[in-house]
Amino acid sequence: MSYAAGPAKDAGQSSRSGRSLGDIALRLTTRRAGDTAISLPPGCQLRLASPVWYEIWSRDTARLARLGVAVLPEQIASLASDERQALVSDQLARAGAGPVLPDWLKPALARARARLAARLSWLD
């Protein structure tokens, strides 16, 4: 019998509750938000994460769409309400859960991304 390390048989697959390990990690690294200024489609929930976790989860559009979740960075990033809405609208559009980002939100999206990049620059 070999005890050599190898890929886990069900790594990243469903746990007993039917959620993947990634889904559980998303729930553990974010918290529910009640930002009424953000417009979300019915059945979608908003979650907050640290800027680093936001960067990770905001790129996982398939998971966010499947779970009906939009993720925003915590307010330590100091984003204005139109910047937060632009980030959420862009996430939803990339996930196929919302319309294309309207032109009037594109400058806010650029500002939000610049603020987040500056906040995360210490990781470089």
Side-chain angles (χ1 to χ4, degrees), residues 2 6 20 24 26 30 40 49 58 63 80 84 86 90 106-107 110-111 115-116 120 123:
S2 171
S20 74
I24 294 168
L26 173 70
T30 62
L40 292 169
S58 67
R63 182 181 315 279
R84 291 192 314 271
D90 182 58
K106 289 179 181 178
R111 287 191 313 272
R115 286 182 198 246
L116 287 169
L120 294 171
L123 292 174

Side-chain angles (χ1 to χ4, degrees), residues 7-16 18-25 60 63 66:
K9 180 178 173 184
D10 60 352
Q13 300 300 316
S14 297
S15 65
R16 289 184 197 169
R19 293 183 187 163
S20 74
L21 294 176
D23 295 356
I24 294 168
D60 194 351
R63 182 181 315 279
R66 183 173 47 78

Side-chain angles (χ1 to χ4, degrees), residues 29-31 47-59 71-79 87 91 112-123:
T29 58
T30 62
R31 67 179 178 88
R47 298 190 69 84
L48 297 176
S50 71
V52 172
W53 281 111
Y54 165 78
E55 281 296 311
I56 293 167
W57 295 123
S58 67
R59 297 169 193 259
V71 178
L72 278 177
E74 294 278 357
Q75 271 307 98
I76 56 174
S78 303
L79 299 174
L87 287 171
Q91 263 181 45
R113 287 183 173 161
R115 286 182 198 246
L116 287 169
R119 181 76 173 139
L120 294 171
S121 64
W122 61 273
L123 292 174

Side-chain angles (χ1 to χ4, degrees), residues 71-108:
V71 178
L72 278 177
E74 294 278 357
Q75 271 307 98
I76 56 174
S78 303
L79 299 174
S81 61
D82 64 334
E83 294 168 342
R84 291 192 314 271
Q85 182 63 59
L87 287 171
V88 167
S89 296
D90 182 58
Q91 263 181 45
L92 294 171
R94 285 185 291 119
V100 175
L101 186 71
D103 287 338
W104 66 272
L105 275 178
K106 289 179 181 178

